[in-house]
Amino acid sequence: MSYDGHTVTAEGMQPQKAQNRPLTADGIEKQMRKTGGSGFVFEHLEIEAEEDVFLPVQALNELRRDAIAALKEDILAAYRRPDGRYRKPGEKSRGGAEISVTRSERQGSVKQSDIPETAQTAGITYGAEVEEQSSWERIGGTMRMSASVENLALVKALCNVPELQTIYLDCSAFENREDFLSSSRRQIALCHEAGKRCFYIMPWIFRAQALSYYQGREALDTLAAYDGLLIRSQEEYAFLKEKAYPKSLAADWNLYTFNREAHLFWKEAQLLFDTAPVELNRRELNVRGCGESELIVYGYQPLMVSAQCQRKNSTGCTKKPSLLYLKDRKQKLFAVRNVCPFCYNIIYNSAPLQLAGNAEDIRRLHPQSIRLQFTTEEPREARQIAGTYAGVFFQRETADRAHKEFTRGHFERGVE
């Protein structure tokens, strides 16, 4: 089997003399071409087979799978060192081939420097333990903690938690555009007086309403008053770059960074950091690397962001943000926040993500920061939870379950 200069061979079960139905060339080809979701298809396939021989279909399938797996490994081996890092240009692969393939050649219009050189200079954390340690040392050996809020009443309470270094104000925390323009600087000043950075979180969906919301000098100046922005879509990135936003940009978890390539893409786009995907489990996060990422360890996770407004469909549109609850057949309550300025609803899980009990596993991932996501909590409850996580992660206290019902999300299991 050959592809782009890579050639592999695979051996399977020895054919037997056929007693009833011998194998035909057409039958063999039919099985060989069933490459499924492997990422490979046969462009040219030659079948050489003796007459009056037999092989089980399972043996043919195993032969095909083994050959494809060997070809894939041979291709990938050219770009990896034994420690899992990319090779530098000119460096020899295991087979003696010189590496010169660039990302731009493989991704068409995406103009970026070649993968090996960038991967070496970007400081990306990979799965190997030695790489995790270097990332840990690079961020000063101290994991940071941040919190996001969807209720401005929580800001003052969280400013009293010394371990918190950054507070994110979600766009849904502001009732309307006027509230955003008039209240932002006051909340920023509150954070700065407590010695904390203050970031703003952009909307989940960036449509015409959002574009109108942030147009104009006053809105752009208000965004620039924050220490940075957490973005949730490529449209937001393009809009802010077009407007020459002067502060730092970071990516929330829904922006695709599942693998090293995607992580590297956003780093080269000059984002300050990204947020580890909540869909990945512990093992997958270790392979991806978290040294330059923030990891969400607490909060009610969004199950759905929808343009179908629950308030409008039930009692009529009031154009005022509110919090509703849906009850399922098991009598579980799901909070629904209608974000009127951008005309969408967020439906949250009935139980919060809670990873305090996985503190040791998270420390081994060496994330740049951990984040607490506060949605429906009251100020006193939010401060108590923040204090609990500060004690667990920075004082090595025993994890105390703040909620009787909670979930570990995908951290233990991942997506099935």
Side-chain angles (χ1 to χ4, degrees), residues 65-83:
R65 285 194 292 264
D66 290 346
I68 290 176
L71 180 60
K72 184 176 181 180
E73 177 57 30
D74 192 66
I75 293 170
L76 294 177
Y79 298 93
R80 288 199 300 257
R81 289 181 173 180
D83 60 8

Side-chain angles (χ1 to χ4, degrees), residues 15-60:
Q16 304 169 5
K17 183 176 177 61
Q19 298 185 7
N20 295 317
R21 297 177 58 186
L23 275 178
T24 64
D26 290 342
I28 296 173
E29 181 174 359
K30 180 180 177 181
Q31 292 304 125
M32 288 295 112
R33 288 193 179 276
K34 292 182 178 181
T35 54
S38 67
F40 293 91
V41 293
F42 283 101
E43 185 178 84
H44 179 69
L45 180 61
E46 292 184 5
I47 306 295
E48 296 182 3
E50 297 179 2
E51 296 181 358
D52 200 30
V53 295
F54 171 77
L55 267 180
V57 172
Q58 182 180 355
L60 291 173

Side-chain angles (χ1 to χ4, degrees), residues 40 69 112 129 133 139 209 220 300 323 327-328 384:
F40 293 91
Q112 298 172 325
E129 292 183 2
Q133 182 62 32
I139 63 174
Q209 294 97 326
L220 293 173
Y300 289 88
L323 200 63
K327 183 183 290 186
D328 70 359
Q384 179 182 359

Side-chain angles (χ1 to χ4, degrees), residues 10-158:
E11 296 182 0
M13 180 186 297
Q14 185 174 351
Q16 304 169 5
K17 183 176 177 61
Q19 298 185 7
N20 295 317
R21 297 177 58 186
L23 275 178
T24 64
D26 290 342
I28 296 173
E29 181 174 359
K30 180 180 177 181
Q31 292 304 125
M32 288 295 112
R33 288 193 179 276
K34 292 182 178 181
T35 54
S38 67
F40 293 91
V41 293
F42 283 101
E43 185 178 84
H44 179 69
L45 180 61
E46 292 184 5
I47 306 295
E48 296 182 3
E50 297 179 2
E51 296 181 358
D52 200 30
V53 295
F54 171 77
L55 267 180
V57 172
Q58 182 180 355
L60 291 173
N61 291 339
E62 289 179 355
L63 179 63
R64 183 193 65 243
R65 285 194 292 264
D66 290 346
I68 290 176
L71 180 60
K72 184 176 181 180
E73 177 57 30
D74 192 66
I75 293 170
L76 294 177
Y79 298 93
R80 288 199 300 257
R81 289 181 173 180
D83 60 8
R85 296 166 59 186
Y86 285 115
R87 299 175 185 274
K88 296 180 180 179
E91 193 172 8
K92 301 293 184 181
S93 70
R94 296 175 192 174
E98 185 172 306
I99 306 306
S100 60
V101 179
T102 64
R103 183 202 302 268
S104 58
E105 291 172 339
R106 292 191 175 275
Q107 295 189 350
S109 61
V110 181
K111 296 181 180 179
Q112 298 172 325
S113 57
D114 62 275
I115 297 172
E117 181 179 9
T118 310
Q120 294 298 325
T121 59
I124 301 298
T125 303
Y126 298 118
E129 292 183 2
V130 62
E131 290 300 302
E132 290 180 347
Q133 182 62 32
S134 65
S135 294
W136 189 237
E137 293 170 352
R138 185 177 62 256
I139 63 174
T142 302
M143 182 166 56
R144 298 189 283 269
M145 186 167 75
S146 64
S148 65
V149 301
E150 297 182 9
N151 181 356
L152 296 182
L154 273 60
V155 175
K156 186 175 181 179
L158 294 176

Side-chain angles (χ1 to χ4, degrees), residues 238-256:
F239 170 77
L240 293 164
K241 284 299 181 181
E242 179 186 336
K243 299 299 181 181
Y245 180 72
K247 298 290 186 65
S248 299
L249 298 179
D252 205 358
W253 62 266
N254 64 308
L255 270 180
Y256 188 89

Side-chain angles (χ1 to χ4, degrees), residues 212-371:
S212 174
Y213 190 96
Y214 297 112
Q215 287 287 8
R217 189 73 264 158
E218 189 176 6
L220 293 173
D221 286 346
T222 301
L223 288 177
Y226 286 90
D227 297 306
L229 305 180
L230 194 67
I231 62 172
R232 287 169 166 163
S233 71
Q234 295 187 34
E235 292 83 358
E236 291 170 355
Y237 175 79
F239 170 77
L240 293 164
K241 284 299 181 181
E242 179 186 336
K243 299 299 181 181
Y245 180 72
K247 298 290 186 65
S248 299
L249 298 179
D252 205 358
W253 62 266
N254 64 308
L255 270 180
Y256 188 89
T257 59
F258 272 56
N259 52 47
R260 304 168 186 171
E261 292 280 315
H263 178 94
L264 188 58
F265 173 85
W266 285 112
K267 180 175 177 64
E268 291 181 343
Q270 299 182 333
L271 265 61
L272 184 63
F273 61 87
D274 60 33
T275 306
V278 298
E279 296 91 344
L280 299 185
N281 61 32
R282 176 179 54 190
R283 179 183 57 81
E284 293 164 336
L285 287 169
N286 182 55
V287 172
R288 172 193 179 274
C290 294
E292 294 183 320
S293 300
E294 191 161 70
L295 182 66
I296 298 172
V297 296
Y298 170 84
Y300 289 88
Q301 296 291 294
L303 298 178
M304 181 184 295
V305 178
S306 172
Q308 294 293 323
C309 180
Q310 299 299 318
R311 172 68 72 183
K312 179 180 179 180
N313 293 341
S314 57
T315 61
C317 179
T318 62
K319 297 190 183 300
K320 291 185 178 180
S322 61
L323 200 63
L324 303 175
Y325 287 89
L326 298 177
K327 183 183 290 186
D328 70 359
R329 59 186 177 83
K330 295 183 178 180
Q331 305 304 303
K332 293 184 181 295
L333 293 177
F334 297 81
V336 182
R337 185 180 300 281
N338 59 307
V339 186
C340 293
F342 308 106
C343 201
Y344 63 75
N345 280 200
I346 310 169
I347 303 176
Y348 295 100
N349 198 357
S350 61
L353 173 74
Q354 195 159 290
L355 297 181
N358 299 85
E360 287 302 320
D361 294 327
I362 292 171
R363 288 192 189 98
R364 283 192 286 269
L365 291 173
H366 303 310
Q368 176 175 298
S369 177
I370 57 174
R371 188 195 310 168

